[in-house]
Amino acid sequence: MSYNIKKAEGKLGILIPGLGAVATTLIAGVESIRKGYSKPVGSLTQMGNIRLGKRTDNRYPLVKDFVPLAQLDDIVFGGWDVYEDNVYQAASNAKVLESSILEKVKVELEAVKPFKAVFDKDYVKNLDGTHIKKEANKWNLAEAVIKDIETFKTENNLDRVVIVWCASTEKYIETSDVHKTVEAFETGLKNNDPAIAPSMIYAYAAIKSGVPFANGAPNLTIDIPALEQLALEKNVPIAGKDFKTGQTLMKTIVAPGLQARSLGVKGWFSTNILGNRDGLVLDDPDNFKTKEVSKLSVLEQILNGELSPELYGELYHKVRINYYPPHGDNKESWDNIDIFGWLGYQMQIKINFLCRDSILAAPIVLDIALFMDLANRAEMSGIQEWLSFYFKTPQTAEGLPPEHDIFKQLIKLQNTLRHIMGEDLITHLGLDYYQELVESMQ
């Protein structure tokens, strides 16, 4: 299959529902990078290399030099929020970045002002939205979001737009009848069906507008049959869900190593403290359950008790998140891992990760936005599983289990880029080097 990828010409708009800590850290960071004050550390699209051809070919271009991505100078930011603060005010309140950084880009940040948000307190009980849309029903809310997208695109003279959800975790819900078909979903919008979450309204509006949509929270959002079907009909890429940052990032690095060495794991206890808006939202049990399901699912696939019952059949996995305001955005996580090795002898691993949640998430949002734009220009519609690298709970086709091993996810991402650019896929088999050596000696 060949891909005719359209050039990344003109301006790219990145619209973000939820201009909180993660989004403002991203926007301030990009503005700082554009002015030459900072480097895009943590961004695969900006600082990562990709190998092409054989190891002996010595071809390791930067990803941004290999695939036609939008340039940082061509990005325009916008979004929605339940508070009317501009991005400078929101970033100052989030207290992720030092004022010395924010002051250098103050003018640019003050220019980014949020649209009124779609908000339903039943989905986020611990927030009180004051900057919200008031419409007759959810259908009208979707129409209002579509109008916002059109306004943003027109006023900024944009050629393309992508949307990345960075808002709070919504309460836990499961797929119901209203989510099963496009027709049922649209009827539900008009009837104000309570099972249609605010995030789904944004996703529906994006897809109807031909705009790629990625979900950075563990909400159900786009992984429902109705929106998956609509994305295929409209030829729009979708991806999700839940940005893979602190503790889960460590799990997808450590667990594959234990599994690769056939070391057994009896228990994995994880606890966190976090004090930002995300921590406040997750202090509600209904919202925590959404996050808990996402975080628990990671180990089930990597340390598969059905495939390896003697090693992982009795694995006990517990996750805790505690709201602790003094830490703000500086999340701290502790992991206690009970493992066993040769002859069943037991050992332990202790991990204490003092991370900065938004610092880890911001480059993820940038990469996802740029890759979703690339997918759209390459006409890669529907679920973009090759972006699993960035998500805790990767969205896949129905009946297809997700791949959680971060190293396998990276291979999939890189091979997808090689594939769409007409380069040979790399299997890392390596036997051809030794066959050539044997032949040269004959």
Side-chain angles (χ1 to χ4, degrees):
M1 181 178 180
S2 61
Y3 291 83
N4 183 21
I5 306 173
K6 296 177 183 176
K7 294 181 180 179
E9 296 177 331
K11 294 181 180 180
L12 170 67
I14 299 179
L15 274 171
I16 303 173
L19 293 177
V22 171
T24 59
T25 302
L26 163 69
I27 297 169
V30 170
E31 295 296 347
S32 181
I33 293 162
R34 289 202 271 218
K35 289 191 169 187
Y37 298 133
S38 308
K39 297 290 184 183
V41 178
S43 169
L44 176 65
T45 62
Q46 304 304 303
M47 301 196 77
N49 296 84
I50 182 169
R51 180 186 134 199
L52 304 178
K54 294 184 176 181
R55 277 179 278 168
T56 49
D57 292 341
N58 199 30
R59 297 170 62 205
Y60 293 91
L62 289 169
V63 170
K64 67 178 182 178
D65 294 332
F66 173 54
V67 292
L69 299 175
Q71 301 295 309
L72 296 191
D73 286 340
D74 294 329
I75 292 175
V76 178
F77 289 104
W80 298 265
D81 201 81
V82 297
Y83 304 111
E84 62 181 344
D85 294 344
N86 63 47
V87 167
Y88 174 77
Q89 294 168 323
S92 299
N93 293 335
K95 294 181 173 60
V96 177
L97 301 176
E98 297 173 358
S99 59
S100 58
I101 294 177
L102 297 179
E103 290 302 316
K104 292 178 181 178
V105 293
K106 181 177 180 179
V107 173
E108 291 80 4
L109 300 187
E110 286 182 330
V112 184
K113 301 174 182 178
F115 292 110
K116 288 185 176 180
V118 176
F119 180 72
D120 183 345
K121 190 171 175 61
D122 187 51
Y123 276 85
V124 190
K125 293 178 183 176
N126 285 354
L127 290 187
D128 292 305
T130 56
H131 188 62
I132 62 176
K133 297 184 185 298
K134 298 184 183 299
E135 301 289 346
N137 55 39
K138 294 181 178 182
W139 175 263
N140 294 138
L141 285 171
E143 290 184 321
V145 173
I146 290 172
K147 184 177 179 180
D148 289 343
I149 296 170
E150 294 171 350
T151 299
F152 178 67
K153 191 171 182 179
T154 301
E155 289 184 349
N156 293 285
N157 193 28
L158 304 176
D159 291 84
R160 307 172 315 282
V161 176
V162 298
I163 295 179
V164 183
W165 174 274
C166 293
S168 299
T169 298
E170 296 172 332
K171 72 175 183 180
Y172 181 79
I173 61 172
E174 296 181 348
T175 304
S176 59
D177 288 343
V178 74
H179 303 133
K180 292 183 178 178
T181 67
V182 176
E183 293 76 15
F185 188 84
E186 291 180 338
T187 299
L189 288 172
K190 295 171 183 176
N191 292 337
N192 250 2
D193 194 301
I196 296 180
S199 62
M200 294 176 181
I201 295 173
Y202 283 103
Y204 173 82
I207 296 169
K208 289 290 283 189
S209 301
V211 170
F213 185 96
N215 178 22
N219 319 322
L220 196 59
T221 312
I222 47 170
D223 52 340
I224 58 174
L227 295 183
E228 291 174 357
Q229 176 189 342
L230 186 63
L232 291 173
E233 290 176 2
K234 295 292 184 180
N235 200 30
V236 173
I238 56 174
K241 61 188 178 181
D242 204 4
F243 299 137
K244 182 158 54 185
T245 52
Q247 190 173 63
T248 306
L249 173 65
M250 297 305 296
K251 285 182 177 179
T252 60
I253 292 172
V254 174
L258 298 174
Q259 188 273 337
R261 289 292 303 270
S262 296
L263 292 169
V265 181
K266 284 193 173 181
W268 198 311
F269 178 79
S270 303
T271 188
N272 304 258
I273 55 176
L274 177 65
N276 62 12
R277 192 194 298 181
D278 191 34
L280 174 62
V281 169
L282 294 176
D283 207 33
D284 182 89
D286 290 339
N287 297 81
F288 170 71
K289 184 176 181 180
T290 307
K291 177 68 76 171
E292 182 183 32
V293 170
S294 174
K295 291 172 75 70
L296 285 172
S297 66
V298 172
L299 291 186
E300 293 175 359
Q301 186 270 335
I302 300 174
L303 306 177
N304 192 319
E306 293 185 4
L307 293 179
S308 304
E310 294 179 324
L311 296 176
Y312 314 118
E314 298 181 1
L315 171 61
Y316 182 82
H317 185 199
K318 177 69 73 175
V319 174
R320 288 283 182 264
I321 300 176
N322 299 288
Y323 179 50
Y324 184 64
H327 266 221
D329 197 67
N330 295 337
K331 179 191 287 184
E332 184 166 3
S333 66
W334 294 268
D335 286 85
N336 175 81
I337 312 166
D338 288 289
I339 70 172
F340 59 95
W342 185 248
L343 306 182
Y345 275 79
Q346 298 188 24
M347 297 168 277
Q348 287 188 342
I349 299 172
K350 310 280 189 181
I351 302 174
N352 179 201
F353 190 14
L354 286 77
C355 69
R356 296 175 182 265
D357 211 42
S358 297
I359 295 297
L360 292 171
I364 287 179
V365 182
L366 176 62
D367 284 358
I368 290 171
L370 294 180
F371 279 141
M372 290 292 278
D373 175 53
L374 172 68
N376 199 35
R377 286 182 283 111
E379 297 187 347
M380 299 165 67
S381 61
I383 298 167
Q384 303 300 301
E385 193 196 337
W386 61 284
L387 296 178
S388 296
F389 180 72
Y390 296 106
F391 297 107
K392 286 189 185 78
T393 312
Q395 187 175 3
T396 63
E398 185 178 358
L400 182 65
E403 176 59 70
H404 284 290
D405 182 326
I406 196 170
F407 306 104
K408 293 176 182 177
Q409 291 174 336
L410 179 60
I411 291 172
K412 185 179 187 70
L413 186 154
Q414 292 177 331
N415 269 336
T416 299
L417 297 180
R418 295 181 185 110
H419 175 63
I420 66 174
M421 296 301 293
E423 288 280 343
D424 291 337
L425 305 187
I426 292 178
T427 64
H428 301 285
L429 185 63
L431 293 178
D432 51 333
Y433 301 108
Y434 298 93
Q435 183 61 36
E436 290 172 2
L437 177 62
V438 170
E439 291 175 353
S440 68
M441 296 174 63
Q442 293 176 346

